[in-house]
Every structure is written in structure tokens, then in C-alpha cells.
Amino acid sequence: MLSKKEKTQYSKQIILREIGEIGQQAFKKSNVLVVGAGGLGCPVLLQLTTSGIGTIGIIDNDFVALDNLPRQILYDYNSVNFLKVDQAVNKLATLNPNVNFIKYPKKLSSNNAIEIINRFDLVVDCSDNFPTRYLINDTCLLLNKPFIYGAIFKHEGQVAVLNYKSSATYRCLFPKVSNTTTNCSQSGVTPTL
């Protein structure tokens, strides 16, 4: 059930025929895991939070660095040298107090992936390395969970919905594990991408 404040807060979404009050209630009941709170994760987390997703999990073991600030828009100078998950939740909670945040200040690994991913309806892959992408893919396939994959490189971006109702998986798109280790720190990136 949506409160009177929530109905006002989400009124522009609720008036959309495709969402309505029933759809907004479904948002409130849903839970999404965002893997990576960096350049891709920050805007995803902002939109999920302000859209009214009920529970958002954030997994990232990294600390905010000064050179993150142009593209990691949840953080500011006061965030530097602090854990991204902590800083993200501090900011996001002020944008929407109706959202429950679950922080995982650790790296997603084969030791914890099943336990963490299993509790969420949807995973959004905002990671920045191939081993994590394959781990997300394989775990979501095992648990029959859909996930959204996103990646950026210099001036290019990719996005795909994977493992949704038996659709393609990450391994269908990229069957061979890449030996490339290039990341934004090495190759650069357009902040708005």
C-alpha cells in the first residue's frame, strides 16, 4: 500500500497508464541488487532510488577516489577515501527515505554470489571487470534471475537485458573470457556516458 506522501512523490509515474498505482506498488515490493557503485552504478542507484524501488542492495568494496568525482555523481570531495557503499547510501537515503538499502562492502565472489544474488529479484551489473560479469551471469543463470548488463569504454556504451525468460546470457554474447584488463583508469572515459 502506498502512503499519501508516496502517492504524491510518485504521482508523475502513477499517472502513466503503463505503471499506475499497481505498478508503483510493484516497484515498492521489488528488490534490486546493483553490483558496482562506480560510474555506471551511481546513475542507476539514483534512478532506482527516486523511482521507489523498495529494497536496493549495493555491493562494492572500493573507496571513493578524487578522480572518480567527474563520473561518479553520488560522491563529492567529502566522500574521498570512504567506502563507496557507505557514501552512496548516505546520499540516497536523503533522496528517498522509503527505500531499504542493504550494503555489501565487499567484492562479489564465488564464495558469496549465490547467497547475495538469491535474495534479489533483479541484478544490475555495473561492474568494471570481466570475471565479475561472468560470475554474475553464471549465478543468475543458476538461480534463474534476470539481470541487466552495462559496460562503458572510452566513448562507447553497451546495455542488455539478459537471462530474462530464457533469453540470451552474457556468455551467448561473449562466449570467450577476455584477457583484456583495460579499465577507465587506463583508457579514460567520457563522464556523461
Side-chain angles (χ1 to χ4, degrees):
M1 191 72 153
L2 298 173
S3 69
K4 186 175 180 181
K5 267 189 172 178
E6 288 173 308
K7 287 179 184 179
T8 301
Q9 182 175 354
Y10 307 126
S11 62
K12 303 301 185 290
Q13 294 163 210
I14 291 172
I15 61 173
L16 292 169
R17 185 183 69 226
E18 298 84 358
I19 296 178
E21 194 168 327
I22 291 171
Q24 192 64 47
Q25 287 173 355
F27 285 1
K28 186 175 179 176
K29 291 177 186 173
S30 66
N31 51 71
V32 177
L33 175 66
V34 178
V35 181
L40 290 173
C42 285
V44 167
L45 288 164
L46 281 165
Q47 290 304 144
L48 292 173
T49 299
T50 58
S51 295
I53 299 300
T55 300
I56 300 172
I58 308 169
I59 184 164
D60 196 309
N61 69 333
D62 200 8
F63 294 83
V64 179
L66 188 58
D67 65 349
N68 295 151
L69 299 183
R71 68 188 185 288
Q72 297 180 12
I73 56 179
L74 282 174
Y75 315 122
D76 57 37
Y77 280 100
N78 297 321
S79 304
V80 173
N81 297 324
F82 290 96
L83 278 168
K84 289 180 181 179
V85 291
D86 291 337
Q87 296 302 298
V89 170
N90 289 345
K91 174 71 174 215
L92 295 167
T94 66
L95 295 173
N96 194 340
N98 301 309
V99 177
N100 174 41
F101 295 99
I102 302 171
K103 298 187 286 188
Y104 297 99
K106 58 180 86 173
K107 185 175 181 168
L108 190 69
S109 71
S110 58
N111 294 327
N112 63 26
I114 290 176
E115 178 184 346
I116 292 171
I117 290 174
N118 195 43
R119 74 173 312 236
F120 293 92
D121 301 321
L122 176 70
V123 177
V124 183
D125 172 14
C126 298
S127 65
D128 63 358
N129 64 81
F130 292 105
T132 302
R133 291 178 186 140
Y134 285 103
L135 177 62
I136 292 166
N137 177 80
D138 297 346
T139 306
C140 285
L141 193 58
L142 179 71
L143 298 172
N144 197 29
K145 304 271 182 178
F147 72 101
I148 298 171
Y149 151 76
I152 56 174
F153 180 71
K154 294 183 180 183
H155 309 287
E156 301 172 1
Q158 297 177 344
V159 66
V161 178
L162 302 168
N163 200 42
Y164 178 69
K165 296 185 178 181
S166 302
S167 69
T169 71
Y170 187 77
R171 287 189 187 275
C172 294
L173 294 174
F174 305 102
K176 294 181 182 175
V177 178
S178 174
N179 293 329
T180 306
T181 57
T182 303
N183 60 33
C184 296
S185 297
Q186 297 164 325
S187 62
V189 65
T190 307
T192 55
L193 190 59

